[in-house]
Amino acid sequence: MRLNRLSVKNFRNLRDVTFFPDQKVSVLYGDNAQGKTNLIEAVYLMSGQKSFRSAKESEFISFGEEYSRIEADFDCGGREQNAALFLGQKKEAALNGVRVAPSELTGQFLAVVFSPGELSLVQEGPAFRRDFLDGAISQVMPRYLSTMNALGRVIAQRNTLLADGNRFGSRDALEPLLESWDMNFARVAYSILRARSRFIDRLQGPAAEIYSEIAGGKGLKLTLLYEPGIAPPPGESWSDVPQKEGEAHLREELLRCRGEDFRNYCTTHGPHRDNMEVLLDGISARSFGSQGQQRSCALSLKLAQCRVMEETLGEAPIVLLDDVLSELDRTRRDFFLKGEHPFQIILTSCDRQIFRSVRTGSSYRMKAGELGAARKKIPKENKAPPPKTEDGKA
């Protein structure tokens, strides 16, 4: 897919910006705190995903304003499309002139972001890897978002019943209600466990291949290990367990853990406890990997996500690089700046000199929330030769 135009109004320090990105590589450069990351963030929000900066939505709106609006013209699915996101007292969205829920932009506008915080994918706890999986899966399977929301509601209700059972000493009376919510839990939990297991299976090959490329073929072998919050039936994988068998197994596990749940006032087992362990030669990259190895693992996961999205949807996502080129080795920088890949790249940097490495693309200066005019770079082989004089000399 390709982003053709982005219009941003009252978004953080971007009061009124219209951005026509290059179809290949766009370099946004300027000093810190000028608005480069804000523009990247605005692009990413059009994908229907949460901000990669963990910001409150109220912080999106420019100081002193009542609303913020982001609008995009893009090519996807073989046709021109338009999407808009309105942030005010209520969050609203539109797709091709039709009002939709903001979550419905997911799977329509495709984007993957690399930011300094992506290292958390490997360095931090399971919640960061669950968020990565959920965001990646929802872009190729949008209905997954509604399943995740349903799981959240079921767990909240189930936890309330567990707390009430302890508070009022009415555990036995609540058993029928818990059994009812356990059935709901099993239905949505099965869908999530199966989707995560299958996605990790698909991610494994590309991630290992890309990590090997980064390491020049001499590094450790990267593997991904799915650690579900409720294990599948013995000898099986959640990727292959039939639905009826899987849901029955989940209900049995919830019943087995009910005493533990009551003691802890919450649902102690389930997809909300899942983990995806990243291993190098069978050893945890989080616990024993160097910072360089951890960075390479995170990059491999993100690039593998791009590949799975392209294979599944037939569309390459827009790749957003927020101030990360300095952390990549030359091979990876050249991949983004010079490589023959299907991605439209939008990157930020404090140093415009990075544009010298771009084979074809445009640079834009960002200053105090205002975007300068594009300065385009054309490959040498595409430049017209100088006109010849009458004597035939150039």
Side-chain angles (χ1 to χ4, degrees):
M1 70 162 287
R2 288 293 184 269
L3 173 63
N4 300 319
R5 179 188 68 89
L6 186 80
S7 176
V8 182
K9 190 172 182 63
N10 300 334
F11 183 79
R12 296 191 182 272
N13 75 328
L14 308 178
R15 295 288 180 169
D16 192 358
V17 170
T18 300
F19 175 39
F20 295 93
D22 194 277
Q23 295 299 291
K24 289 291 187 179
V25 179
S26 299
V27 177
L28 309 176
Y29 71 95
D31 295 337
N32 288 323
Q34 300 303 303
K36 304 185 300 297
T37 298
N38 295 342
L39 190 57
I40 288 274
E41 182 181 31
V43 175
Y44 189 66
L45 287 175
M46 296 306 297
S47 70
Q49 303 287 303
K50 295 184 293 184
S51 170
F52 58 90
R53 302 166 82 180
S54 302
K56 296 179 181 177
E57 291 186 1
S58 59
E59 296 174 357
F60 294 152
I61 302 172
S62 300
F63 183 75
E65 301 292 343
E66 295 182 355
Y67 75 94
S68 175
R69 179 181 173 84
I70 308 169
E71 184 177 358
D73 294 331
F74 60 99
D75 294 331
C76 190
R79 64 192 179 102
E80 296 182 5
Q81 301 194 59
N82 173 272
L85 190 62
F86 181 88
L87 305 165
Q89 291 184 345
K90 223 176 133 182
K91 188 176 180 181
E92 300 175 351
L95 181 64
N96 299 320
V98 178
R99 191 169 177 176
V100 297
S103 60
E104 291 183 63
L105 296 179
T106 299
Q108 302 295 326
F109 188 98
L110 310 175
V112 173
V113 65
F114 296 73
S115 69
E118 302 304 329
L119 205 54
S120 302
L121 262 178
V122 181
Q123 288 184 336
E124 301 297 336
F128 289 85
R129 291 180 285 285
R130 287 197 300 270
D131 286 347
F132 163 72
L133 288 172
D134 293 340
I137 294 170
S138 64
Q139 292 219 52
V140 298
M141 192 173 68
R143 68 179 182 275
Y144 180 83
L145 274 180
S146 60
T147 307
M148 283 297 303
N149 291 334
L151 177 69
R153 291 192 295 270
V154 170
I155 289 177
Q157 185 61 50
R158 193 173 186 277
N159 289 349
T160 298
L161 289 174
L162 292 168
D164 287 347
N166 282 323
R167 187 179 299 113
F168 302 114
S170 54
R171 292 186 182 184
D172 292 341
L174 291 175
E175 288 292 330
L177 277 175
L178 275 173
E179 288 178 8
S180 175
W181 283 107
D182 284 358
M183 292 180 65
N184 292 331
F185 180 96
R187 186 181 68 256
V188 294
Y190 169 80
S191 296
I192 292 168
L193 291 164
R194 184 170 183 266
R196 286 177 178 170
S197 180
R198 289 193 166 193
F199 189 81
I200 291 171
D201 288 345
R202 295 192 64 186
L203 206 62
Q204 171 64 72
E209 180 184 335
I210 292 166
Y211 185 85
S212 178
E213 291 173 0
I214 292 174
K218 300 177 182 179
L220 306 176
K221 182 180 178 181
L222 183 148
T223 53
L224 304 176
L225 177 63
Y226 183 35
E227 299 176 338
I230 294 181
E236 298 190 67
S237 164
W238 278 120
S239 296
D240 306 315
V241 178
Q243 182 172 355
K244 187 175 181 180
E245 178 188 346
E247 290 185 13
H249 175 74
L250 289 168
R251 291 196 300 271
E252 289 173 4
E253 288 298 298
L254 288 175
L255 181 60
R256 184 180 65 81
C257 299
R258 190 164 292 174
E260 182 181 356
D261 290 350
F262 270 119
R263 288 192 297 274
N264 289 278
Y265 290 72
C266 68
T267 305
T268 54
H269 296 74
H272 55 301
R273 304 290 188 183
D274 281 5
N275 183 31
M276 178 183 71
E277 190 69 35
V278 182
L279 307 173
L280 293 176
D281 276 2
I283 299 174
S284 170
R286 178 191 179 194
S287 301
F288 301 103
S290 68
Q291 187 165 359
Q293 289 172 328
Q294 292 171 345
R295 183 181 294 113
S296 294
C297 288
L299 179 61
S300 299
L301 288 172
K302 283 288 189 170
L303 286 173
Q305 176 192 352
C306 293
R307 191 176 296 180
V308 171
M309 289 174 67
E310 185 182 5
E311 291 173 353
T312 304
L313 304 172
E315 297 278 352
I318 298 169
V319 174
L320 308 171
L321 307 174
D322 183 35
D323 196 26
V324 296
L325 285 186
S326 61
E327 299 185 13
L328 303 181
D329 58 51
R330 184 174 178 178
T331 301
R332 289 301 102 192
R333 287 199 300 269
D334 286 348
F335 170 82
F336 289 118
L337 302 177
K338 298 180 180 179
E340 294 298 326
H341 53 67
F343 308 119
Q344 181 183 25
I345 306 289
I346 304 175
L347 66 92
T348 68
S349 175
C350 292
D351 185 6
R352 185 181 180 273
Q353 298 306 313
I354 195 71
F355 191 56
R356 290 183 176 180
S357 302
V358 173
R359 183 172 180 271
T360 176
S362 301
S363 66
Y364 310 76
R365 185 185 184 192
M366 180 70 77
K367 185 176 181 180
E370 295 186 0
L371 190 67
R375 298 181 64 180
K376 195 165 184 66
K377 188 173 186 178
I378 302 173
K380 291 181 180 180
E381 60 266 27
N382 294 341
K383 292 182 179 179
K388 294 183 178 179
T389 60
E390 291 183 0
D391 60 4
K393 296 180 179 180

